[in-house]
Amino acid sequence: MFSTAMAVALAMGVFSHVNLNRDFIGYLNEQAVSRLELARTSVTAGYRDNGGSWDFLREKPELWGRLLRPLVPEAEMLALKAKHGPAELTGATRRFTLFDSNRERIAGYPPTAEQAQHAIERPIIVDGLTVGWLALTPIESVSPGAEKHFYDAQKRSVWIVGAAAVLLAGGVAAWVTRRLLRPVRQVAAATHRLAAGDFAVRVAEGRGDDDLARLGRDFNQLALTLQRNEAMRREFMADVSHELRTPLGVLHGELEAIEDGVRQPDAQSLRSLQGEVAVLHKLVEDLHELSLADVGGLAYRKDEVDLGALIGVAAGAFGERLHGSGLTLRLDLPDEPLPVFGDERRLRQLLGNLLENSCRYTDAGGSLSLSARRSGRVVVVDVQDTAPGVGPEHLPRLFERFYRVDGSRSRRGGGSGLGLSICQRIVEAHEGRIEATPSPLGGLWIRVELPVHD
């Protein structure tokens, strides 16, 4: 920016010098021509007044200067000066030359042969006869005098303005360097640290709502997101290893006991081994489905589905499980169908995971409420259970993988901890919404909203 300002100032000075020199000389010559016209009138009058001869100038050359003064009234002279400018100040009369009818110089400036070729001439006509010529030698360069003073003043003004512009540009460039480049360099340095794995790096956020302030806030948000993702990745790896270690440890212990003859490979041992294998299979299956959901690889075959009927079927399938857990189910469904556009198998999986979650974490003797209704353009499904509840600080993270809730709603029943995460992916694939809030019954309230199918 500073270099550009210097180049512009330099170009302005050079072009101003060239244009001023050229145009100013043209202007001076134009004024001299106007003065030439006025002088011709005076010279013609002098010729008449001195007997129709140029001898008076040859005898008294000092009369030449007086003769060039215009013979016009003062008021008219002022008007001419206002129209043509102060030609007398340009030294035009010093470049006048008077020739007789034979082209012999009588008075005035003695031009060279080359100057005579470019001279501007006006005839001196008396009684219809050309008795002489009044010539003007044009200005080719600025000469000392008033015109030189004016030219120097203009050139000085141009360079002063140019220097001021350069200084101003330097100040602006310095301010921009501090205001713009320094924060950008800070963000660039922080980006290198972030790329190297330092997710705790942050930059100072500027005030206001300009681009730099937003850049700082966006970078900090990016760093925070990456930090959280890295923490979630580490937690995920730790949780997966924990979930796999428990059933594998049980399997290893059971098989060693059978191998050492401590336990017999009877039906009870096989059922125990089969149960641990089922836990491993469920965990691996849930992880596989989540990985497919993350990359958009889950297959959905959507059609019009009556969600009310699906809820009734799912509630019936969980009847024995609810009874075994000592829970009662209150079902509230409308008489009219609840049509949604979705995959029947995935929606059945969604309902099954929600009911499984309540059965697993609700204390014996409690109750479970399952209701569905249409509300405008969505179908709302509410799943509520009784104590124990979930603290408000844990609610936003319930749909994270393997997230553990401190207290009585931990994964004591051996669940994979992926059920609600899978529910969230299914709902999002159906362009719906799922949220968790405290239940008025004392436990957890899961609400699902799915778009109505017309």
Side-chain angles (χ1 to χ4, degrees):
M1 182 177 181
F2 181 65
S3 300
T4 302
M6 289 188 62
V8 170
L10 181 61
M12 181 181 67
V14 172
F15 283 109
S16 297
H17 171 76
V18 174
N19 292 331
L20 183 61
N21 188 52
R22 181 186 59 196
D23 296 341
F24 183 63
I25 291 176
Y27 167 77
L28 293 180
N29 286 324
E30 289 178 1
Q31 298 302 310
V33 171
S34 300
R35 184 68 180 85
L36 178 65
E37 297 293 342
L38 296 174
R40 183 172 64 164
T41 303
S42 301
V43 172
T44 302
Y47 182 83
R48 282 197 182 99
D49 295 341
N50 290 274
S53 173
W54 297 114
D55 293 338
F56 74 99
L57 286 177
R58 293 188 179 97
E59 296 173 356
K60 296 181 179 181
E62 66 272 9
L63 296 178
W64 172 244
R66 298 179 185 178
L67 193 62
L68 293 179
R69 297 174 184 173
L71 300 176
V72 295
E74 184 177 357
E76 186 177 349
M77 184 63 188
L78 293 176
L80 289 173
K81 286 186 176 182
K83 179 179 179 180
H84 299 287
E88 188 66 32
L89 296 177
T90 65
T93 57
R94 294 195 297 271
R95 292 178 282 109
F96 287 170
T97 307
L98 179 62
F99 298 95
D100 61 13
S101 57
N102 296 321
R103 296 285 182 174
E104 296 291 335
R105 187 178 73 88
I106 300 172
Y109 177 75
T112 63
E114 183 178 356
Q115 290 175 339
Q117 292 179 356
H118 298 89
I120 301 171
E121 297 181 345
R122 294 292 183 270
I124 307 298
I125 301 175
V126 177
D127 298 330
L129 297 177
T130 302
V131 297
W133 299 87
L134 185 61
L136 167 66
T137 302
I139 299 176
E140 297 179 359
S141 62
V142 180
S143 59
E147 64 275 20
K148 182 66 166 59
H149 176 73
F150 173 79
Y151 174 78
D152 291 341
Q154 294 300 313
K155 183 171 67 173
R156 185 166 52 251
S157 299
V158 169
W159 288 114
I160 289 175
V161 172
V166 170
L167 292 177
L168 179 61
V172 173
W175 179 83
V176 170
T177 300
R178 291 196 310 271
R179 182 70 180 84
L180 179 62
L181 296 185
R182 183 181 299 173
V184 170
R185 290 194 183 107
Q186 291 177 354
V187 172
T191 303
H192 290 304
R193 293 176 57 188
L194 189 66
D198 184 6
F199 300 118
V201 62
R202 298 292 186 272
V203 298
E205 297 183 7
R207 298 179 180 178
D209 195 35
D210 57 7
D211 292 338
L212 289 176
R214 287 194 295 271
L215 176 63
R217 288 194 293 268
D218 291 343
F219 177 85
N220 289 339
Q221 183 62 38
L222 171 65
L224 179 61
T225 302
L226 292 176
Q227 188 177 29
R228 288 177 177 174
N229 289 343
E230 178 63 18
M232 290 174 60
R233 184 189 68 82
R234 293 177 180 177
E235 292 177 1
F236 175 76
M237 297 301 296
D239 290 336
V240 168
S241 63
H242 171 77
E243 295 293 339
L244 291 174
R245 185 169 59 249
T246 300
L248 285 175
V250 173
L251 283 173
H252 185 263
E254 292 281 350
L255 291 174
E256 277 193 346
I258 293 175
E259 185 180 8
D260 294 340
V262 177
R263 294 193 61 179
Q264 297 298 320
D266 51 16
Q268 182 178 359
S269 299
L270 293 177
R271 281 195 301 271
S272 177
L273 294 174
Q274 183 66 27
E276 299 301 328
V277 171
V279 171
L280 283 174
H281 177 75
K282 182 64 167 60
L283 176 61
V284 173
E285 186 67 23
D286 288 346
L287 288 172
H288 177 65
E289 289 203 359
L290 274 179
S291 64
L292 290 179
D294 287 341
V295 299
L298 278 181
Y300 288 87
R301 297 182 178 180
K302 296 181 180 181
D303 199 355
E304 182 178 343
V305 178
D306 183 2
L307 190 59
L310 279 184
I311 293 175
V313 172
F318 268 80
E320 183 177 350
R321 173 70 186 280
L322 291 168
H323 180 73
S325 300
L327 303 175
T328 58
L329 174 64
R330 290 182 294 178
L331 194 60
D332 183 12
L333 299 175
D335 295 332
E336 66 274 8
L338 298 173
V340 297
F341 186 67
D343 186 321
E344 181 176 348
R345 183 172 67 90
R346 295 297 179 187
L347 292 177
R348 189 180 295 114
Q349 181 183 10
L350 167 68
L351 296 171
N353 285 351
L354 293 178
L355 291 171
E356 176 68 25
N357 183 75
S358 292
C359 290
R360 187 179 303 278
Y361 300 123
T362 304
D363 290 341
S367 62
L368 175 64
S369 173
L370 178 58
S371 64
R373 57 186 173 84
R374 177 169 179 168
S375 177
R377 304 297 303 168
V378 297
V379 174
V380 180
V381 179
D382 292 312
V383 181
Q384 302 184 57
D385 54 37
T386 54
V390 177
E393 69 278 7
H394 300 293
L395 292 175
R397 303 190 61 185
L398 282 182
F399 299 99
E400 295 180 8
R401 304 170 187 180
F402 298 112
Y403 181 70
R404 297 178 182 274
V405 178
D406 296 333
S408 55
R409 288 191 76 103
S410 61
R411 279 171 285 158
R412 57 187 179 181
S416 65
L418 300 174
L420 290 181
S421 296
I422 295 175
C423 289
Q424 186 181 46
R425 300 299 191 280
I426 294 175
V427 172
E428 290 175 350
H430 286 80
E431 300 179 2
R433 190 169 66 93
I434 184 171
E435 62 178 356
T437 57
S439 171
L441 304 179
L444 185 65
W445 182 356
I446 302 292
R447 166 164 289 188
V448 177
E449 296 180 1
L450 297 174
V452 173
H453 177 64
D454 293 329

